[in-house]
Amino acid sequence: AQKVTQAQTEISVVEKEDVTLDCVYETRDTTYYLFWYKQPPSGELVFLIRRNSFDEQNEISGRYSWNFQKSTSSFNFTITASQVVDSAVYFCALSVGGDYGQNFVFGPGTRLSVLP
Amino acid sequence: KAGVTQTPRYLIKTRGQQVTLSCSPISGHRSVSWYQQTPGQGLQFLFEYFSETQRNKGNFPGRFSGRQFSNSRSEMNVSTLELGDSALYLCASSFDRGTEAFFGQGTRLTVV
């Protein structure tokens, strides 16, 4: 069975601080995909990044960066110089390959509040 | 490129009634998945359709069903509504398994 853990339920930071959101996953499959989504108050889940299990290269996109470490089964997300618009709930998700189709297992989410 | 469209956005139903929710995926996407989001259980997978076939199903009772049409549009139906079915129902559109999924704004269902 697959599982995603996001230990941080809520985080509050002051604008311009850096913040890291933790994600730990569990799966026995060797082929799997990891995702991060952002859910603003409007409710729509916004896609941020996708990583497959064979690509451990870290990625940076503007103020966002992701650290994928298979050795610790973690896929952490860092926001540099946070802004008020970053306030949202962030979800880490796991999807496995094989015959399971498209089925995301989501973590419980981390609510990020960026204060001005 | 048009996004994922879910209708209606809001619904209020009475216990025992049934409801049908609709989802139009991104053009070219053949996979449509449905998720239920509640404060207590978080985001839970309901089912996924690909080219009109249900490819995977989550752990929900048979009152929850779905289908997909030849144009990839999908509907989900919930029969004999219960108070616990009150939730945000999200539809996700993707090209295939393992690819990024794009979500609609959801249908907020309230059962009274």
Side-chain angles (χ1 to χ4, degrees):
Chain A
Q2 291 76 41
K3 185 178 179 181
V4 175
T5 301
Q6 295 178 256
Q8 305 145 308
T9 304
E10 293 191 38
I11 300 176
S12 287
V13 298
V14 177
E15 206 170 17
K16 297 184 182 177
E17 283 186 18
D18 298 346
V19 58
T20 295
L21 309 182
D22 297 333
C23 172
V24 174
Y25 62 92
E26 296 177 27
T27 181
R28 292 184 178 177
D29 290 76
T30 55
T31 301
Y32 54 89
Y33 308 89
L34 295 165
F35 303 81
W36 275 95
Y37 283 86
K38 172 182 179 179
Q39 187 175 42
S42 61
E44 181 178 355
L45 283 168
V46 178
F47 168 76
L48 295 177
I49 190 169
R50 166 187 176 271
R51 262 286 174 267
N52 71 53
S53 52
F54 302 108
D55 181 6
E56 282 193 77
Q57 187 173 6
N58 292 330
E59 177 148 343
I60 297 175
S61 176
R63 297 185 296 106
Y64 297 170
S65 62
W66 290 270
N67 183 352
F68 175 26
Q69 291 194 331
K70 287 178 73 171
S71 60
T72 56
S73 297
S74 64
F75 186 41
N76 297 336
F77 173 31
T78 296
I79 301 175
T80 302
S82 59
Q83 299 177 0
V84 173
V85 293
D86 295 327
S87 296
V89 181
Y90 290 85
F91 292 95
C92 180
L94 167 70
S95 176
V96 299
D99 297 328
Y100 296 100
Q102 181 76 308
N103 167 14
F104 286 6
V105 175
F106 284 91
T110 296
R111 181 177 299 278
L112 174 65
S113 298
V114 181
L115 308 174
Chain B
K1 192 174 187 181
V4 182
T5 303
Q6 289 189 246
T7 57
R9 291 289 312 280
Y10 302 93
L11 266 178
I12 299 176
K13 289 286 187 179
T14 304
R15 270 182 303 175
Q17 287 186 313
Q18 74 164 13
V19 66
T20 299
L21 313 182
S22 179
C23 172
S24 292
I26 292 170
S27 177
H29 285 187
R30 291 188 293 169
S31 169
V32 175
S33 305
W34 289 89
Y35 293 82
Q36 181 195 66
Q37 185 176 26
T38 60
Q41 299 299 316
L43 280 155
Q44 293 186 287
F45 171 74
L46 282 156
F47 30 66
E48 185 229 2
Y49 287 87
F50 183 86
S51 293
E52 301 181 67
T53 300
Q54 187 181 86
R55 199 160 57 171
N56 201 351
K57 188 178 190 307
N59 189 24
F60 278 82
R63 300 185 296 106
F64 292 82
S65 63
R67 58 177 175 169
Q68 187 180 33
F69 302 96
S70 58
N71 61 358
S72 292
R73 189 177 72 85
S74 176
E75 290 181 346
M76 70 162 280
N77 184 78
V78 187
S79 62
T80 319
L81 284 166
E82 301 177 358
L83 295 178
D85 297 334
S86 295
L88 179 66
Y89 290 89
L90 291 162
C91 164
S93 161
S94 54
F95 182 73
D96 201 347
R97 60 169 68 93
T99 62
E100 53 265 43
F102 297 92
F103 286 78
Q105 289 191 294
T107 294
R108 186 164 295 282
L109 171 66
T110 302
V111 182
V112 297

